[in-house]
């Protein structure tokens, strides 16, 4: 009798014997595949001693089943979720199970959701919340070692939160503004020497701030690398590609005309470029799974490389939306800057440009795969792979949008982009060579709508500021109250409009019922129908939209009523017999 290889690893003849005892007589126990296929459909497998060892948290048995042996054990179980149901009160059991099946779900819930629902021990919940499957592999086999790994991960995340809270330093902004105001006042007073001293002080201060923000890049990048290494791994595989130069302008043109020609060339490609990048953004944001994106763009997903959750909670781009990527297009490059670059021998590969903002490394890597599938990439630098960062890193590339024309695409992580925007002001001062270069106001007033929105976005995007979850919750509640107030105001206005409509309708009805024209013939009346049209009716039940005309009696004739109220006519001149027929 041949023993299946997986069972041989796990326990050989005895394990297979125990398995085959559960198989009915019509199945050939010498057919390993038949036995395994049957067992996968049976819950009796849970009665085997090896499964019970897992259920009971028998550590020696679990260690024996570790790695391939452990996976082999669970391969024989039809219902792989069953161990979760029985072992979530034992952190060590959870550790081994998650290692074998890191993406397993229970009743459509994640292991963490299920553990919280079943009120598992806090250590189990902390482990699932803070540690990835890869981190669990190296965190040790005792509860103390697990606890230490959890605490270390908590500290890492805490550092990330602190870093995000310190990106926008209002005190530093105020200090820089104070120094710059003093310097500008001295320039206006023509006290150039004093202004130079103030500039040196401002430059030194901004240099310190630039270094502070540069140090934060390392801390923030640690978040993307360590929060879930499985999602960062595909991103690390994005390697540099050799740069290709831009399509050149006609060489016979003088340099200024060459620049104008390239700027004009870019304008013809801008619409197509924006439409293509917006389409990719829309597909990513509308998708429900990574597999859906792969299928849309025919991306190879063999081996399940991209088969991971699309909207991972730990990498939420914006707490207010379900977006996973945002695209921002750069404005047309000005002639002076373009002339400066071309005069230095540089070709203009960034006349059409877009910045993609991501929070999830996996999705940034997948977006690169999409671009690489759709276009020829001529020049790629994965600046995130640097060991040290002299400036905010990005994934920088040039793609051939059409006819060899190169456009620039940059991909930045959300928090890196936030650092870049804040660092830019300080960096400009730090590299300036004199006070006149940085005489213009550095920072807008904090009351400026753009600055308020930026600070608010920072609170939403980082998720956690110095006030922690409560601070964010306060902002969200304030926004919710603002929306409720606007909703109430709209409902009040709708009620007022409805009341006015009712009043107008009543007036129209009243007018229709009371309007009688004195020029109408006797017993005829005027009214308005539901469509607002005038019509006429009489006491005999007749109606018409043509206005009845009062006919004049011939000269000498008059009308009167008899004793019964009927109208008759008589001639006062001839004194002839009266008639009930109207004379003509």
């Amino acid at each position: 009798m041949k023993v299946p290889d997986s069972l041989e690893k796990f326990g050989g003849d005895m394990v297979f014997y125990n398995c085959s005892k559960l198989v009915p007589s019509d199945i050939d126990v010498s057919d390993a595949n038949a036995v395994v296929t049957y067992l996968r459909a049976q819950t009796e497998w849970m009665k085997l001693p090896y499964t019970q060892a897992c259920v009971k948290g028998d550590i020696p048995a679990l260690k024996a089943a570790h790695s391939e042996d452990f996976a082999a054990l669970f391969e024989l179980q039809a219902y792989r979720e069953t161990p979760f149901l029985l072992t979530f009160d034992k952190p060590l059991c959870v550790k081994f199970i998650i290692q074998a099946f890191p993406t397993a779900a229970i009743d459509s819930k994640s292991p963490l959701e299920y553990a919280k629902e079943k009120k598992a021990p806090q250590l189990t919940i902390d482990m699932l919340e803070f540690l990835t499957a890869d981190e669990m592999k190296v965190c040790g086999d005792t509860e103390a070692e697990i606890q230490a790994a959890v605490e270390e991960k908590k500290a890492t995340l805490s550092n990330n939160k602190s870093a995000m809270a310190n990106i926008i330093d209002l005190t530093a902004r105020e200090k820089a503004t104070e120094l710059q105001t003093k310097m500008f006042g001295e320039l206006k007073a023509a006290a150039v020497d004093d202004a130079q001293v103030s500039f040196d002080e401002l430059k030194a201060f901004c240099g310190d701030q630039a270094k502070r923000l540069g140090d934060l890049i390392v801390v923030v990048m640690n978040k993307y690398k360590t929060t879930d290494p499985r999602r960062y791994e595909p991103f690390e595989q994005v390697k540099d590609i050799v740069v290709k130069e831009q399509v050149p302008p006609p060489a016979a043109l003088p340099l200024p005309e060459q620049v104008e020609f390239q700027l004009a060339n870019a304008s013809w490609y801008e619409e197509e470029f924006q439409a293509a990048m917006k389409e990719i953004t829309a597909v990513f944001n509308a998708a429900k799974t990574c597999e859906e994106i792969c299928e849309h763009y025919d991306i190879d997903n063999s081996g399940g490389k991209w088969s991971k959750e699309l909207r991972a909670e730990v990498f939420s781009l914006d707490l207010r939306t379900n977006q996973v990527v945002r695209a921002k297009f750069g404005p047309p490059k000005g002639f002076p800057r373009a002339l400066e670059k071309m005069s230095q021998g540089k070709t203009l590969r960034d006349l059409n440009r877009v910045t993609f903002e991501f929070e999830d490394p996996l999705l940034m890597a997948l977006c690169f795969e999409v671009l690489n599938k759709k276009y020829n990439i001529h020049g790629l630098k994965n600046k995130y792979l640097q060991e040290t960062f002299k400036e905010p890193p990005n994934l920088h590339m040039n793609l051939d949008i059409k006819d060899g024309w190169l456009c620039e695409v940059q991909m930045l992580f959300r928090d890196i982009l936030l650092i870049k925007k804040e660092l830019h002001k300080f960096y400009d001062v730090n590299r300036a060579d004199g006070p006149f270069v940085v005489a213009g106001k550095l920072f807008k007033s904090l009351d400026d709508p753009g600055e308020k929105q930026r600070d608010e976005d920072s609170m939403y995007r980082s998720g956690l500021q110095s006030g922690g979850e409560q601070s964010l919750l306060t902002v969200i509640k304030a926004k919710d109250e603002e929306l409720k107030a606007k909703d109430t105001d709209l409902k009040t206005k709708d009620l007022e409009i409805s009341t006015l409509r009712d009043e107008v309708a009543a007036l129209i009805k009243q007018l229709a019922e009371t309007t009688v024209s004195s020029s109408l013939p006797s017993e005829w009346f005027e009214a308005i129908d539901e469509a607002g049209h005038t019509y006429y009716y009489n006491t005999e039940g007749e109606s018409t939209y043509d206005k009845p005309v009062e006919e004049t009696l011939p000269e000498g004739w008059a009308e009167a009523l008899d004793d019964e109220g009927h109208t008759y006519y008589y001639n006062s001149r001839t004194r002839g017999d009266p008639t009930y027929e109207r004379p003509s």
Side-chain angles (χ1 to χ4, degrees):
M1 177 175 68
K2 176 174 169 45
V3 178
D5 291 341
S6 59
L7 291 178
E8 181 66 49
K9 290 179 184 177
F10 188 66
D13 294 340
M14 181 56 68
V15 172
F16 189 74
Y17 172 73
N18 286 335
C19 292
S20 61
K21 285 197 301 182
L22 303 174
V23 176
S25 58
D26 58 339
I27 292 181
D28 183 1
V29 294
S30 65
D31 184 344
N33 291 329
V35 174
V36 171
T37 299
Y38 175 79
L39 289 172
R40 282 176 176 164
Q42 307 303 312
T43 58
E44 290 296 314
W45 173 247
M46 288 301 300
K47 295 180 180 179
L48 289 179
Y50 302 94
T51 311
Q52 289 297 308
C54 177
V55 172
K56 295 175 181 176
D58 187 335
I59 303 304
L62 285 171
K63 285 187 176 181
H66 190 41
S67 190
E68 293 182 4
D69 294 344
F70 190 67
L73 167 65
F74 280 94
E75 182 156 339
L76 290 175
Q77 294 186 66
Y79 192 36
R80 292 188 179 186
E81 298 168 356
T82 303
F84 285 112
L85 304 177
L86 299 168
T87 63
F88 257 62
D89 59 337
K90 298 176 179 61
L92 283 172
C93 296
V94 176
K95 175 181 183 292
F96 287 118
I97 293 168
I98 293 292
Q99 282 179 227
F101 306 105
T103 60
I106 312 162
D107 298 333
S108 300
K109 299 182 182 69
S110 70
L112 175 60
E113 291 171 333
Y114 188 83
K116 288 181 177 179
E117 182 182 288
K118 294 299 181 182
K119 295 182 172 51
Q122 187 59 47
L123 179 55
T124 297
I125 294 174
D126 285 348
M127 179 177 63
L128 290 169
E129 188 167 12
F130 292 104
L131 300 182
T132 66
D134 290 335
E135 289 168 334
M136 287 184 192
K137 288 181 180 179
V138 296
C139 73
D141 291 332
T142 69
E143 291 199 5
E145 290 172 304
I146 293 174
Q147 184 70 55
V150 169
E151 293 303 323
E152 181 180 354
K153 188 61 175 287
K154 283 183 178 180
T156 299
L157 296 178
S158 177
N159 289 339
N160 293 333
K161 295 170 188 176
S162 298
M164 289 308 303
N166 291 325
I167 289 176
I168 297 177
D169 187 335
L170 298 182
T171 303
R173 285 189 182 186
E174 290 171 358
K175 177 64 175 177
T177 301
E178 177 187 327
L179 292 171
Q180 191 188 31
T181 302
K182 179 174 179 289
M183 180 193 74
F184 188 62
E186 292 163 345
L187 287 175
K188 288 196 295 184
V192 179
D193 291 341
D194 291 339
Q196 181 64 45
V197 174
S198 297
F199 165 73
D200 291 339
E201 186 180 357
L202 173 64
K203 183 173 181 177
F205 177 77
C206 289
D208 291 340
Q209 291 303 308
K211 183 180 184 305
R212 175 182 69 82
L213 290 165
D215 292 340
L216 289 182
I217 294 174
V218 178
V219 178
V220 169
M221 280 305 301
N222 190 45
K223 176 187 78 171
Y224 294 109
K225 293 178 180 179
T226 63
T227 299
D228 189 343
R230 291 173 302 157
R231 300 184 80 86
Y232 194 80
E233 183 180 353
F235 181 74
E236 289 184 306
Q237 297 169 6
V238 179
K239 302 300 182 183
D240 291 357
I241 297 175
V242 177
V243 176
K244 177 183 176 181
E245 298 303 330
Q246 180 64 285
V247 176
L253 294 175
L255 182 59
E257 281 76 6
Q258 288 187 21
V259 174
E260 292 284 12
F261 183 87
Q262 293 297 74
L263 293 175
N265 218 354
S267 70
W268 286 98
Y269 289 103
E270 182 65 17
E271 185 175 348
E272 183 174 352
F273 173 64
Q274 287 203 18
M277 299 303 104
K278 287 177 180 178
E279 186 269 342
I280 292 174
T281 304
V283 169
F284 269 70
N285 287 331
K288 291 181 171 53
T289 64
C290 291
E291 290 88 344
E292 187 179 328
I293 297 172
C294 292
E295 183 177 350
H296 185 90
Y297 291 109
D298 193 26
I299 302 297
D300 181 18
N301 191 29
S302 57
K305 177 180 180 180
W306 307 108
S307 296
K308 295 177 177 66
E309 185 182 2
L310 176 62
R311 290 176 174 82
E313 185 177 351
V314 291
F315 288 122
S316 174
L317 178 63
D318 192 321
L319 295 176
R320 296 166 293 184
T321 70
N322 275 325
Q323 290 182 323
V324 296
V325 59
R326 278 188 284 258
K328 183 176 182 180
F329 296 91
K333 189 176 289 293
F335 177 81
R337 177 60 177 153
L339 178 63
E340 179 187 354
K341 291 185 72 172
M342 286 195 68
S343 65
Q344 295 171 353
K346 299 177 181 178
T347 60
L348 304 176
R349 299 189 300 270
D350 60 348
L351 296 181
N352 308 93
R353 56 196 185 277
V354 66
T355 296
F356 285 118
E357 180 186 1
F358 285 92
E359 176 64 355
D360 193 330
L362 179 78
L363 300 185
M364 188 183 287
L366 180 55
C367 187
F368 166 74
E369 290 291 329
V370 170
L371 291 173
N372 201 30
K373 181 82 175 182
K374 287 172 64 71
Y375 306 100
N376 290 322
I377 304 294
H378 297 295
L380 168 68
K381 290 184 179 179
N382 188 349
K383 298 180 182 180
Y384 293 105
L385 301 183
Q386 301 171 150
E387 293 184 5
T388 58
F389 302 101
K390 295 182 179 179
E391 59 183 3
N394 62 17
L395 191 62
H396 182 280
M397 71 193 80
N398 293 109
L399 58 83
D400 179 350
I401 190 69
K402 187 179 181 181
D403 306 325
W405 184 259
L406 300 182
C407 302
E408 180 185 82
V409 176
Q410 293 191 55
M411 297 184 187
L412 284 94
F413 291 125
R414 181 197 66 199
D415 296 349
I416 295 295
L417 185 59
L418 195 60
I419 291 175
K420 181 181 179 181
K421 290 177 179 178
E422 188 70 6
L423 176 62
H424 179 68
K425 299 290 187 182
F426 296 113
Y427 182 72
D428 283 349
V429 175
N430 194 41
R431 69 176 183 174
D433 55 9
F436 290 98
V437 180
V438 290
K441 190 174 183 181
L442 281 176
F443 297 104
K444 295 179 181 179
S445 167
L446 293 179
D447 293 328
D448 181 87
E451 288 298 293
K452 281 187 174 181
Q453 184 63 45
R454 181 183 170 195
D455 289 344
E456 182 180 292
D457 284 349
S458 170
M459 294 180 73
Y460 273 112
R461 294 179 184 185
S462 66
L464 291 164
Q465 293 293 319
S466 55
E469 292 92 338
Q470 192 58 41
S471 174
L472 178 63
L473 187 60
T474 301
V475 176
I476 294 175
K477 284 183 177 179
K479 277 293 178 185
D480 188 50
E481 291 301 323
E482 182 181 337
L483 290 173
K484 286 180 180 178
K486 289 181 179 179
D487 185 54
T488 301
D489 187 46
L490 288 173
K491 288 179 179 178
T492 302
K493 284 182 169 55
D494 286 343
L495 183 60
E496 291 174 356
I497 292 171
S498 178
T499 302
L500 287 173
R501 284 175 176 165
D502 291 342
E503 291 175 357
V504 171
L507 289 172
I508 292 174
K509 183 178 181 181
Q510 181 181 355
L511 183 63
E513 293 174 347
T514 59
T515 302
V516 177
S517 175
S518 59
S519 62
L520 291 173
S522 176
E523 300 181 348
W524 279 90
F525 305 90
E526 179 181 298
I528 298 175
D529 66 12
E530 293 180 354
H533 302 134
T534 302
Y535 70 97
Y536 306 88
Y537 63 95
N538 62 17
T539 56
E540 299 295 327
E542 298 172 320
S543 63
T544 177
Y545 283 97
D546 297 325
K547 186 175 181 179
V549 179
E550 181 74 56
E551 297 179 3
T552 306
L553 291 171
E555 187 176 349
W557 283 90
E559 68 177 31
L561 297 176
D562 64 13
D563 294 337
E564 296 179 2
H566 299 136
T567 302
Y568 68 95
Y569 306 89
Y570 64 95
N571 193 313
S572 58
R573 292 183 180 181
T574 62
R575 304 285 182 176
D577 294 332
T579 177
Y580 283 95
E581 293 182 4
R582 185 182 182 90
S584 58

